[in-house]
Amino acid sequence: MGLPSGRQAHVGGPRLFPASLWMPLEMSPFGCWGLPTALLALFCCPGSGEEFEVHMYPEQLVVEPGGSQLVNCSTSCANPKTGGLETTLTKTLNQSGPQWKQFLVSNISQDTVVHCHFTCFGSQKLKSLNVSVFYPPKQMLLKIQPTWVAVGKSFTIECHVPDVKPLESLTLTLLRGKETLCNKTFTGEKNDTQGATATHKGMAHREDGRHNFSCHARLDLRSRGGDIIHHVSEPQMLKVYEPTPDNQMVVIISVVSVLLFLFVTSILLCFILGQHWRQRRMGAYGVQDA
């Protein structure tokens, strides 16, 4: 039985040419060029074919805990038989077309993988999307010890972020005004929420009391499909004062001063009394001579 013109069929696996190619050369509208022309047409315009691709957008996804995101699944197959999104997360079909479907994925609480799939010409293809959950450094605890410090004495600045993820994407910067005191990057397990601390020890200067101290957190999520997230702590002031003499030294100086005063006073009294006693004796001798 002949095949309908312009259609393809499989018999025992091999692909057959369209029926027009089995026409005698004298019946072909192309004459002696009919077969080469038809082969060239099949090569350049293979029709539906069996090769197709599956695409996902976005290609990477990073969200905060409990967040939601639209995920698009599409295919190059002109008429896919089936298609959809496979995930353990809550999903809702938002929109769809002949070659695409859009899903709302919600309640994302942990790192996971979602899969888009389409079936075309009896074969199925998958595309996977890595979903990462991040914890931004919202809470930043800045501490200065001591808050009162004398010029030339040491003090410590500590910045602590209780919960952040991914830790290896975090950089903490300690600032005096706009001046950078120190930068610290971190390493850690990608799947864990961890705390991070940056510490700086310095020597107090008079001008330190005129500047705010702060901590800046930078979470770089670009490698995971996100953006750079910035957070800055509340500024704090360091109170700087001029050093005063040591209390023990003040006591010693005071005691020495009192003792010296008493010593000098006693010498003066002895001198005055001695002079007074001498004058009295001299007066008595003058009376006797008379």
Side-chain angles (χ1 to χ4, degrees):
M1 178 181 290
L3 296 173
S5 176
R7 298 290 301 276
Q8 296 182 7
H10 290 271
V11 179
R15 178 181 295 176
L16 300 180
F17 294 107
S20 60
L21 298 183
W22 295 100
M23 297 171 57
L25 292 178
E26 60 271 12
M27 296 176 60
S28 171
F30 298 100
C32 62
W33 298 101
L35 181 60
T37 303
L39 289 173
L40 181 61
L42 282 176
F43 179 78
C44 296
C45 306
S48 58
E50 295 185 3
E51 292 298 324
F52 68 98
E53 296 180 350
V54 175
H55 304 280
M56 295 186 75
Y57 182 83
E59 297 181 352
Q60 290 180 304
L61 181 59
V62 58
V63 296
E64 290 192 58
S68 302
Q69 179 68 36
L70 291 172
V71 177
N72 290 320
C73 299
S74 61
T75 179
S76 59
C77 178
N79 188 25
K81 184 177 180 181
T82 59
L85 181 73
E86 293 297 326
T87 177
T88 58
L89 302 171
T90 302
K91 66 176 180 179
T92 304
L93 180 61
N94 189 44
Q95 301 180 60
S96 64
Q99 295 176 274
W100 61 274
K101 295 178 183 293
Q102 185 185 72
F103 295 89
L104 177 64
V105 180
S106 55
N107 297 326
I108 305 173
S109 59
Q110 60 184 359
D111 295 351
T112 186
V113 181
V114 298
H115 308 277
C116 280
H117 65 87
F118 283 95
T119 301
C120 191
F121 306 113
S123 63
Q124 186 183 66
K125 285 190 175 182
L126 295 173
K127 187 75 172 181
S128 298
L129 167 66
N130 291 322
V131 181
S132 301
V133 174
F134 75 95
Y135 288 78
K138 292 182 178 180
Q139 185 180 11
M140 302 180 64
L141 307 176
L142 182 64
K143 184 188 297 184
I144 301 179
Q145 292 291 339
T147 55
W148 285 75
V149 62
V151 174
K153 297 296 183 179
S154 62
F155 67 97
T156 302
I157 305 175
E158 179 182 281
C159 179
H160 179 68
V161 180
D163 296 301
V164 65
K165 177 187 175 184
L167 190 62
E168 70 275 7
S169 300
L170 177 68
T171 301
L172 291 181
T173 303
L174 292 173
L175 301 168
R176 180 182 63 181
K178 296 183 179 180
E179 177 189 356
T180 298
L181 298 177
C182 76
N183 276 313
K184 186 175 181 180
T185 55
F186 300 86
T187 58
E189 295 294 331
K190 296 184 178 180
N191 296 325
D192 292 339
T193 303
Q194 302 179 41
T197 302
T199 304
H200 172 75
K201 292 185 177 181
M203 196 74 69
H205 300 85
R206 290 181 180 86
E207 58 271 17
D208 289 337
R210 298 191 292 268
H211 295 284
N212 287 325
F213 289 84
S214 60
C215 181
H216 175 258
R218 180 178 184 268
L219 191 65
D220 190 350
L221 301 174
R222 290 177 296 178
S223 63
R224 298 169 178 259
D227 300 318
I228 300 177
I229 298 176
H230 300 272
H231 280 279
V232 181
S233 69
E234 290 292 331
Q236 291 193 21
M237 294 286 292
L238 178 66
K239 297 179 180 179
V240 182
Y241 61 90
E242 293 291 340
T244 57
D246 187 73
N247 291 336
Q248 185 177 1
M249 185 62 66
V250 171
V251 172
I252 294 174
I253 294 174
S254 300
V255 172
V256 170
S257 300
V258 171
L259 292 176
L260 183 61
F261 174 76
L262 293 175
F263 176 73
V264 172
T265 302
S266 62
I267 292 177
L268 288 175
L269 287 174
C270 291
F271 177 77
I272 293 172
L273 291 174
Q275 290 293 327
H276 182 67
W277 179 78
R278 183 178 178 183
Q279 288 179 358
R280 290 183 63 184
R281 290 191 63 184
M282 292 295 294
Y285 289 146
V287 173
Q288 291 178 1
D289 292 339

